[in-house]
Structures are given as C-alpha cells and as structure tokens.
Amino acid sequence: MLRVLYRIIWTFIYLLCSFVDFVKSMTVSLHKKYTNYYKTLRLEDELKLITQAVKHMDKTPSHIVFVIGNENISFRDLGNVIVWCIAAGVSFISFYDFEGELKKEEAHFRSIVSEVHKKYSGYIVWGNKYPANGVQNINGTKNGMDFLRKVKVKMFSLTDGKENIVKVTHELCKSVKENILNVSDINQDVIDRMIGVHSGVPDPDLAVLCGSLCCTYGLLPWQIRVTEFVQVHSHHNMSFEDFLCVLYKYNKCEQRFGK
Amino acid sequence: MSWLRENTLNWIQYVCLKVVKSGGVPNHVAFIMDGNRRFAKKNNVAKVEGHTKGFDKLAETLQWCLDLGIPEVTVYAFSIENFKRSTEEVNELMDLARDKFKRLLDEREKLMDHGVSVRVIGNLALLPEDLRQLMSEAMILTKDNNKAFLNIAFAYTSRDEITSAIKSLVAGVEKKIILPEDISKHVISQCLYTNKSPNPDLLIRTSGEIRLSDFLLWQTSSTCVYFSKVLWPEFSVWHMLTAVFHYQRNRQNIVRLKNFEESCSLESCSLENHQVDLFLEDLHSQRQMFMEKARQAKY
C-alpha cells in the first residue's frame, strides 16, 4: 500500500520536472529565435570578440571535441562552431556521434560549411590530411583576418573508441610475433603512441556534450583521461555567447594530475 | 569508524529515499570521491583528517545505497597518480587504508551477514606487502558473497588496467593459447579487473571537477555521469537522491545507448570460443593465485 503511494509521489515529481524542463527549453528557444532575428553583430564582429575574449583567458583548449548526444545533427550550427574555433585559436576540432551519422555525412557537412563560410574555408583542414603529431599553427593572412589560424577537423564515432584499442592489440601481437617487440616492452607510452596514430588527434582538452544526457557516449576511451566535460543544452541555434560560456567554464578548470 | 553503519536518516529523509527507490534504481553506481583535502583546508584541519572524514562518508553512502537497493558500488579510493603526492601524505593514506581493512576484517561477521563481497581493483603489486595481504584476505573471505558488491579502486588507473589487459592478451597469443583474431572488445572487457561487474549505470563525481581522471574509461561508455559541486565529506543523502533521480530521468536515453552498443559488439563477437574461455579461466586463476600468495606472505 505504502509502496503504491511512494510510486504515485515519484511519478508526480517526475512529471512536474519534465514539465518545468519543457517550459524552460521553450523559453530558451523562443528567446534564441528572437535574438537571432534582431541579431546586430556580423560574423566578423563575433570572431573579433571571441579573439579578444580568449586573450584574457589563462588557458584555451587546443583540441575540442563536440559530442552530439541524443539529438539530431544540425550541420549549419556545427559549421558556426568551426568558425568560432578558428577565432579562438583552437588547433583541432573533432565531432563525435556514437551512431556514426557524422562520418557518413561528412561530404554533406563539408559542402554546407564551404557554402555558408566560403571566406573561411581556407582555414579549415578536413579529415586525414594532416599528420598525427603535426600540431602546427600556420598563420593565415587572407581577407585581412591575420589573427586567424588553421583548424583541423575530424569526425569520430563509437567504432573509433574501443575498436582502436582492439586494433592496437592486434598490431602488438604482430610485432611480438615478428620479434620486433617483447611482451615486457609493452607499456602505456607504447600503446598511447599507437592509439595516437590511429585516431590522428592529440587527447582532447575539452569535450562539449550536446544534449540532455551527460555521458561519454563511448568517446575515445583511451584519450579522455583528463578531458574536461562541459554540457550544453543543445547545439541547435547555439550562439557565440554560448560558445564563449563553454570556453570560460574550461578556463576555470584546474588540473592537479593526481597531486 | 565502522564500514557498515546503522541508519542515520531522519523520517523525512527516509520517506524521500523510499519515493526515489520506487522509481527504479541503478544496478551499479560508481563514485569519484573528490574534495577531501579541500574540505580539510576549508575547515583548517590536517589533510589526514579530511581523508578520515571522507572514509566516514563512504561508509554512510554505502548504507544509503543498501537502503536504496543498489546492489553494486565502485569507488575510486586511490589513483596510481596519487603516488606523486608527498611521501608523508601517501604514507598517511596507506596507514588509513591499513586501519580500515583491519577494521573490515574485524567486522567479518557483519559483512557475511549482509552478504557483501569486497573486491579491490587495481595494480596491487604497487602496494606495500602488508596492505596487499589485508586486501587479499578481505577479498578471499568475501568472494562468494552475492547480495551486495563493493569494488574499491586502489592503485588504479584505467590506462593501467587496459595496458595490463592488452599485455596478458599479447602474452596469450605469444604462447599460442589464443589466436589474435579471437581478441575483441568483449574479450578485452573480460580481461579487465572489473570483469565480474556489469558496467556502471551512474557515475557520481563530487567537488565540482568535470573530468573522469582515468577512472573506468572503458566501462562508462553508456553511463549517466553526474557532476556535483559538493566536497565529498559534505556529500549528503539529498545529493545522493538527486543523483539517482537524475539517472531516472535519463534512463531511456541510457538504455537506447546501451542497446546500440550491444548490437554493435554482437556483430563483431564470435560465437562461443573454447580457446578464449580457457585463456580467460587461466588468467583469472592466475590472479586468484596472486591473491592467495599475497595473503599467505610472511614479512
């Protein structure tokens, strides 16, 4: 009897919370539509503001990964993110969705970005064209935007996580068989280097989780040891203020590395 | 302070706990108990005092989990990275662990009554011999208990765990016990220290940090993560209930994610493989032997 009563109370609270969340998200999206409509800043101004803001931060991520959780992908919004990252001086930007939709649609994504942000496509290096350890920042001078640097963009899915660790194990088996390596030589550094070659990116400094669930979604398990996780409500209609807010949150994180 | 405590909740907390419990609870909750030293600093007491308070909080939290009906808990007690701290602090932490494991063995009757199985996960070879002995003793004593499971990550990092799994697999291939093509995600999972546990449904990290710090990286691919600002010694039943409710509200998404991941591994997972089973049996009995040896060590 009492149990039924508890369950009724629980259901009531559950529904109440869902209702409050619904109202909240409606207000946010209405507010976003309104502010987008009366948008006064041009993209160039936004980029300048981001560059200014980043100058006053103690640290900015060199590798950001955007994790698309339980929501549909909006390539247009992700395209904006790339351009903001260029302004923030980010060297690597990765996009992850566990089902592999982004990897499948990469060509489509590219065409949208080059159409909407024609001016900046020279600053974007897509896919596997760069070496794993080549964390070079090349200063661009086109369009008078000489404060901008190139960003490398890559897509990941669930299969790049644990599967890569399996692949590395297979390779190690081969090396041992061919007497290139002893089993006792296998250590974290060896594995780390091999994982780095497979993923082609350094460990992410910041993961931006888009959606209501805070979860790694199977993102590159070997490489997220010290990655900071910041959650945003959604990547749809994400504004550059939202983006700056994420960078500010990252700026506040202090790493102690176990000490 | 004891491991298993009497109920400390007042009636209103108790009712709320019952309400949350009625909504279905996670099967396995993991904790990163962070903030003991900041708590000590805030209250102007010695670091070790903060760690002691942290342990007391763990005992209290375990009781809440039992009350909620959560059968399995994994806690991050000591990371391999923590060996980098000052010798003084590391020694204090080892002393605290010795003390608590002795206590746990003193309370063996209570532990057996509750049917609690204690497992220490981590690279035990890095620990002082006497502590390893106490831990092995506790693990062997409680290994057949199956009402509740407490996994204590000590001298643990996820990368170290994965490395050790890979090493034993490569060694197995070298000795021709298994074939390289037998190695899959599923087999690696079976080689981890956590092979007996289901993956956690909920991970709670306290003290406002928003990273995983090398804890269960492999096992948390479909885990609901809850970051709480509170320092671990100040963690209350309200925080616990909020975290579980947070999990309940995200349950549908987690289930979807889990199903997707399982459907992926089914494709790549070969059917029953006798050789792999033999290899795993061998690996697990080696670990068992290591524990037996540690328990009987004289020093």
Side-chain angles (χ1 to χ4, degrees), chain B residues 214-270:
Chain B
D214 222 338
F215 183 53
L216 303 178
L217 302 178
W218 179 282
Q219 294 89 337
T220 51
S221 48
S222 49
T223 300
C224 175
V225 183
Y226 183 77
F227 294 115
S228 170
K229 286 219 164 69
V230 66
L231 300 176
W232 174 252
E234 291 168 346
F235 188 76
S236 75
V237 70
W238 300 117
H239 297 110
M240 181 73 206
L241 296 182
T242 314
V244 174
F245 189 63
H246 179 78
Y247 158 80
Q248 290 168 337
R249 299 199 60 216
N250 283 294
R251 190 161 35 203
Q252 274 177 344
N253 286 322
I254 296 164
V255 169
R256 189 175 141 242
L257 193 58
K258 263 199 178 140
N259 289 344
F260 182 81
E261 213 192 348
E262 267 162 30
S263 69
C264 284
S265 7
L266 276 180
E267 287 162 21
S268 61
C269 181
S270 51

Side-chain angles (χ1 to χ4, degrees), chain B residues 2-3 26 59-60 89 96 174 209 222 284:
Chain B
S2 153
W3 283 76
E60 215 176 328
E89 196 187 340
L96 184 68
E174 197 194 19
E209 300 298 346
S222 49
H284 297 153

Side-chain angles (χ1 to χ4, degrees), chain B residues 26-243:
Chain B
N27 279 318
H28 182 180
V29 181
F31 290 93
I32 302 180
M33 309 180 289
D34 194 15
N36 291 341
R37 290 186 299 172
R38 265 166 284 174
F39 174 82
K41 205 172 162 189
K42 198 172 110 184
N43 292 288
N44 261 323
V45 291
K47 275 182 195 165
V48 67
E49 184 71 18
H51 290 305
T52 310
K53 278 271 183 319
F55 173 80
D56 297 347
K57 185 52 73 180
L58 169 62
E60 215 176 328
T61 308
L62 292 177
Q63 187 56 50
W64 299 334
C65 289
L66 282 178
D67 290 343
L68 275 166
I70 297 168
E72 182 145 10
V73 172
T74 302
V75 296
Y76 205 3
F78 190 83
S79 152
I80 293 175
E81 300 287 312
N82 292 152
F83 280 116
K84 289 185 198 156
R85 293 181 182 174
S86 70
T87 332
E88 191 196 347
E89 196 187 340
V90 171
N91 288 340
E92 277 171 358
L93 279 166
M94 292 299 150
D95 283 341
L96 184 68
R98 269 184 204 106
D99 188 40
K100 293 306 171 189
F101 273 93
K102 273 181 201 150
R103 184 77 201 225
L104 188 129
L105 290 168
D106 290 343
E107 291 178 322
R108 61 182 73 203
E109 272 165 35
K110 245 203 233 167
L111 216 55
M112 301 312 267
D113 280 351
H114 282 78
V116 183
S117 171
V118 178
R119 304 178 189 130
V120 182
I121 56 170
N123 194 341
L124 299 192
L126 300 173
L127 294 174
E129 226 175 321
D130 60 326
L131 181 57
R132 196 159 62 221
Q133 184 185 35
L134 290 167
M135 288 174 170
S136 306
E137 174 103 50
M139 279 193 274
I140 291 167
L141 175 74
T142 61
K143 74 175 167 29
D144 295 323
N145 289 349
N146 58 10
K147 283 208 192 101
F149 301 91
L150 171 62
N151 309 304
I152 304 167
F154 211 98
Y156 176 91
T157 62
S158 205
R159 279 195 179 187
D160 181 72
E161 181 186 32
I162 297 171
T163 305
S164 122
I166 292 180
K167 261 180 120 162
S168 21
L169 283 165
V170 177
V173 172
E174 197 194 19
K175 288 183 204 139
K176 304 208 165 48
I177 308 174
I178 47 164
L179 296 167
E181 51 267 34
D182 289 336
I183 299 171
S184 63
K185 282 197 285 191
H186 174 72
V187 174
I188 294 185
S189 300
Q190 288 301 309
C191 296
L192 300 176
Y193 302 130
T194 54
N195 60 75
K196 292 195 186 83
S197 309
N199 288 340
D201 301 304
L202 172 65
L203 168 71
I204 300 174
R205 174 159 198 168
T206 55
S207 92
E209 300 298 346
I210 47 173
R211 55 183 173 270
L212 300 179
S213 298
D214 222 338
F215 183 53
L216 303 178
L217 302 178
W218 179 282
Q219 294 89 337
T220 51
S221 48
S222 49
T223 300
C224 175
V225 183
Y226 183 77
F227 294 115
S228 170
K229 286 219 164 69
V230 66
L231 300 176
W232 174 252
E234 291 168 346
F235 188 76
S236 75
V237 70
W238 300 117
H239 297 110
M240 181 73 206
L241 296 182
T242 314

Side-chain angles (χ1 to χ4, degrees), chain A residues 7 10 70 214 229 259, chain B residues 22 37 210-211 225 248 253:
Chain A
R7 180 70 191 195
W10 181 84
N70 46 341
C214 182
F229 287 89
K259 286 185 191 169
Chain B
S22 75
R37 290 186 299 172
I210 47 173
R211 55 183 173 270
V225 183
Q248 290 168 337
N253 286 322

